[in-house]
Amino acid sequence: MRHIVVIGGGIIGLATAHELAARGDRVTVLEKESRWGAHQTGHNSNVVHAGLYYKPGSLKARMSVAGNASIVDFARENDVPVEVCGKLVVATSEDEVPRLEVLAERAAANGVPAKRITPEEAREHEPEVACVAALRVESTGIIDFPAVCAALVRKLTAHGADLRLDTPALAIRDARTGGGVEVATPRGVVRADALVNCAGLHSDRVARLAGLRPKATIVPFRGEYYELRPERAHLVRGLIYPVPDPTLPFLGVHLTRMLDGSVHAGPNAVLALRREGYRWRDVSAADLAEVARFPGSWKLARRFARTGVEEVLRSFSRKRFAASLARLVPAVREEDLVRSGAGVRAQAMLPDGSLVDDFLIEHAHRQVHVLNAPSPAATCSLEIGKQVADRVAEQF
């Protein structure tokens, strides 16, 4: 029986560990926090994505369609709250309609059930929405991703996995005997036959600890959310998204009804001032210096200078945030919004300033490193776990 050590206890690490254990491997999971899914998994919008945005043939496209089905099935089999409610992608002006059509073509290429509908049909789903055309995507859903993590932990425990919270990886080296790896932790050294890195916001650092020189660096982007006041939550029945601007790296603020009936609005996208910086006052001089030393950061900033300024202004202005939402639902007013939480996206960036579009997985001897797994990675987590387990098997 092989022994695999997995670094990272978010949904990707737990899903990968679950797949490895199901295949008969002995698994140890190391998580530096005191709870599972503490960062990206526990701070996202809990959307089960359909896969319409991604380049046909890419890992994101293929895994989103498969992952949408597998994560919903997993939730239903394990009493995890999930609702397949569908969503609207809306063009709010005529100049957005060609982009909506391109999106519909991409959905068809990816095998995503999506239908072009009229404004009148859109208002049958969302009476308060404003649009000149829309795309109805039936397979999008809402799920409780932290509850998925809890279910995975239960399954791993039943498999006899060694699950260690409060256990960061401090150093990694090749084992002196046996050809495996050794991971130093505050509680001693873990010796294993192979290592899997699913450390999310710290995945590039863990890769460097293991002796790799990853081609991409993680740059953290914070996404901030508002909520509609409870008495205004009736304005949104499901999920309402804008047509994304293909020249920009993120989707734009949108409206999402959660499982508890609340409506989240956002996220925007601003540079986080530390890797786990959920607020403006969360600052790390070391993390900022790392971003400043990375040439890609400056190239991206120059390319999207105006957009970056707008995002920062919207971060500090509830009025601007409300105006963005009112393009989708005109009845949303500034006073309807209350501050909610924030998440930090672990986005891999290349030295030329381009953001890594697809999931990125790199290898070394008896090592597999997941180096870019932002949204829709939670949706795709079970599929990513299978892919990583396959790549671990290739190492032997």
Side-chain angles (χ1 to χ4, degrees):
M1 180 186 293
R2 296 176 306 206
H3 179 204
I4 314 299
V5 59
V6 177
I7 298 176
I11 196 169
I12 304 300
L14 293 171
T16 299
H18 171 258
E19 182 65 26
L20 290 165
R23 296 185 185 194
D25 291 314
R26 184 163 65 93
V27 178
T28 297
V29 181
L30 307 179
E31 167 55 48
K32 71 181 180 67
E33 302 293 352
S34 59
R35 68 185 191 279
W36 305 107
H39 291 294
Q40 290 187 101
T41 307
H43 291 83
N44 69 37
S45 59
N46 283 332
V47 174
V48 180
H49 291 282
L52 75 159
Y53 297 110
Y54 315 115
K55 182 180 178 181
S58 65
L59 287 175
K60 281 188 177 182
R62 290 186 282 115
M63 288 187 179
S64 289
V65 174
N68 178 285
S70 63
I71 202 74
V72 170
D73 288 345
F74 181 90
R76 289 171 174 167
E77 291 165 4
N78 292 277
D79 297 321
V80 172
V82 65
E83 179 185 348
V84 180
C85 53
K87 79 172 180 182
L88 291 180
V89 182
V90 298
T92 58
S93 61
E94 291 294 339
D95 62 344
E96 292 181 344
V97 172
R99 300 208 306 266
L100 188 73
E101 292 172 350
V102 169
L103 204 59
E105 292 169 1
R106 179 161 284 191
N110 290 343
V112 175
K115 178 184 177 184
R116 171 79 179 269
I117 61 175
T118 65
E120 292 74 25
E121 291 170 323
R123 283 189 285 273
E124 291 176 9
H125 296 282
E126 295 286 354
E128 299 291 338
V129 77
C131 65
V132 298
L135 201 62
R136 176 67 181 171
V137 186
E138 294 295 344
S139 56
T140 300
I142 296 294
I143 197 170
D144 186 340
F145 281 125
V148 172
C149 287
L152 289 167
V153 167
R154 290 194 297 271
K155 286 182 168 293
L156 283 162
T157 300
H159 276 295
D162 182 5
L163 304 176
R164 304 188 188 186
L165 294 168
D166 298 307
T167 309
L170 304 177
I172 302 168
R173 71 180 183 187
D174 291 337
R176 294 180 178 179
T177 59
V181 296
E182 295 180 342
V183 182
T185 79
R187 301 179 183 182
V189 175
V190 177
R191 295 174 177 84
D193 298 305
L195 175 145
V196 174
N197 167 17
C198 299
L201 284 159
H202 300 277
S203 57
D204 57 336
R205 291 173 173 173
V206 169
R208 288 193 286 270
L209 273 183
L212 267 69
R213 291 186 176 180
K215 62 183 180 182
T217 292
I218 295 296
V219 176
F221 287 91
R222 183 172 66 254
E224 300 160 324
Y225 289 90
Y226 282 88
E227 285 186 33
L228 294 187
R229 295 184 184 278
E231 63 271 21
R232 301 291 281 172
H234 68 275
L235 296 175
V236 179
R237 291 181 174 180
L239 287 76
I240 307 173
Y241 280 60
V243 179
D245 184 338
T247 67
L248 300 178
F250 301 110
L251 291 178
V253 296
H254 42 271
L255 291 152
T256 305
R257 177 171 285 275
M258 310 301 282
L259 287 163
D260 63 2
S262 63
V263 176
H264 280 211
N268 62 343
V270 295
L271 179 69
L273 303 183
R274 60 177 289 183
R275 293 235 178 167
E276 292 154 4
Y278 298 102
R279 301 161 298 183
W280 280 108
R281 65 177 179 270
D282 295 336
V283 180
S284 164
D287 288 356
L288 281 175
E290 188 175 13
V291 170
R293 286 195 301 268
F294 184 59
S297 304
W298 298 100
K299 293 173 182 176
L300 181 79
R302 284 194 294 270
R303 191 177 307 155
F304 296 109
R306 178 177 295 179
T307 300
V309 170
E310 290 173 355
E311 291 292 311
V312 171
L313 291 174
R314 185 161 54 183
S315 174
F316 287 101
S317 171
R318 187 173 62 165
K319 181 177 181 179
R320 285 176 178 268
F321 216 107
S324 298
L325 298 169
R327 293 184 65 247
L328 309 175
V329 176
V332 172
R333 305 169 306 203
E334 179 183 353
E335 57 268 28
D336 296 333
L337 301 181
V338 292
R339 282 277 185 185
S340 186
V344 179
R345 175 187 179 112
Q347 177 62 58
M349 184 185 295
L350 298 174
D352 66 0
S354 61
L355 303 183
V356 177
D357 249 354
D358 209 356
F359 299 140
L360 176 63
I361 304 173
E362 293 188 12
H363 311 82
H365 179 61
R366 297 206 180 183
Q367 298 178 19
V368 179
H369 298 264
V370 181
L371 296 175
N372 191 55
S375 179
T379 297
C380 306
S381 54
L382 298 175
E383 305 307 312
I384 294 173
K386 293 173 186 175
Q387 176 88 204
V388 173
D390 287 345
R391 298 193 187 195
V392 169
E394 293 169 3
Q395 298 290 316
F396 293 87

